[in-house]
Amino acid sequence: MVLPSVYQDMVNGSEEHPMLLIDKHTDKSYITKDETWDIVKNRVYSRSDGGYWIKFEKSNDDSDIRALTLVSKKVAKIMDSNPWCTGGGMANTYLPKGDFYLFLDGNLEPQITIRYEGDSVSEVKGTGPGQSLQKDQVGIAQKFLPTIPNGANYANQVKVTSMYYKMKEYADKNSYRDWE
């Protein structure tokens, strides 16, 4: 049985995310690059910055929900904890409420997700701590948001993330003693 094995690993101090442990014990791997392409090839919205923007249109269809789940689940391979909800079973809640855009890198690994609720962008997530956008993902999101419906309205939130990275870079280069 899978769950007792996952529980035992966690009791024994495993720091792996439970989703990764479940995959380990069920002997299932993530979908392959070819399987990913089969899912997304007819959903390519645009190609840019060394990857693809994929659009999953608002849908109640089980095959669309499963496709979003399978592609989103791959993000758990690169995130230590707290992977995207859509990879953990929440696609069935979110996709009926609005479109999803995913940015997949050149290896078809998910890097950025943009979730809509109705006609508005509800959230933008990356693969950084707490699902934040990583520094290299900020520019990709900033270029893309103005190209999608009501995306420009969300661009300021991404700009704040960019400012954070600039301040962090400055602080990393300069000791706090320089500020006194």
Side-chain angles (χ1 to χ4, degrees):
M1 295 187 84
V2 173
L3 290 179
S5 300
V6 170
Y7 176 75
Q8 194 59 47
D9 279 2
M10 294 176 76
V11 167
N12 290 335
S14 174
E15 294 184 17
E16 286 187 79
H17 190 276
M19 281 179 61
L20 294 175
L21 292 173
I22 288 170
D23 283 335
K24 179 174 125 183
H25 289 289
T26 56
D27 198 29
K28 291 181 183 174
S29 62
Y30 298 95
I31 59 174
T32 66
K33 185 175 181 179
D34 289 339
E35 290 169 322
T36 302
W37 183 247
D38 285 342
I39 290 171
V40 303
K41 66 185 174 190
N42 295 323
R43 293 180 168 99
V44 174
Y45 184 81
S46 67
R47 181 177 167 80
S48 65
D49 296 314
Y52 302 89
W53 280 102
I54 308 301
K55 182 179 181 182
F56 285 86
E57 293 186 10
K58 177 181 176 178
S59 174
N60 288 310
D61 187 273
D62 288 339
S63 64
D64 292 333
I65 291 167
R66 179 164 168 68
L68 178 59
T69 300
L70 288 171
V71 176
S72 296
K73 183 180 179 185
K74 291 177 67 174
V75 81
K77 293 191 300 186
I78 57 174
M79 294 179 73
D80 291 335
S81 63
N82 197 22
W84 297 341
C85 299
T86 49
M90 292 299 292
N92 63 342
T93 301
Y94 292 140
L95 194 56
K97 294 180 182 180
D99 296 341
F100 262 83
Y101 293 87
L102 297 178
F103 179 75
L104 307 182
D105 66 17
N107 291 318
L108 301 180
E109 298 294 334
Q111 301 295 317
I112 301 169
T113 184
I114 299 173
R115 179 173 71 86
Y116 272 74
E117 191 148 328
D119 294 336
S120 299
V121 174
S122 180
E123 61 185 1
V124 176
K125 300 290 185 177
T127 58
Q131 302 179 2
S132 64
L133 292 173
Q134 294 191 53
K135 185 176 182 179
D136 61 324
Q137 296 169 341
V138 171
I140 295 168
Q142 281 181 312
K143 286 181 191 175
F144 183 70
L145 280 166
T147 70
I148 57 177
N150 299 314
N153 297 341
Y154 205 89
N156 283 337
Q157 293 188 31
V158 175
K159 189 174 183 176
V160 169
T161 304
S162 177
M163 291 169 36
Y164 161 78
Y165 280 115
K166 288 177 183 175
M167 290 187 305
K168 183 178 182 327
E169 187 176 311
Y170 177 84
D172 289 346
K173 287 181 182 177
N174 301 286
S175 70
Y176 290 106
R177 288 178 288 164
D178 294 341
W179 293 5
E180 294 180 56

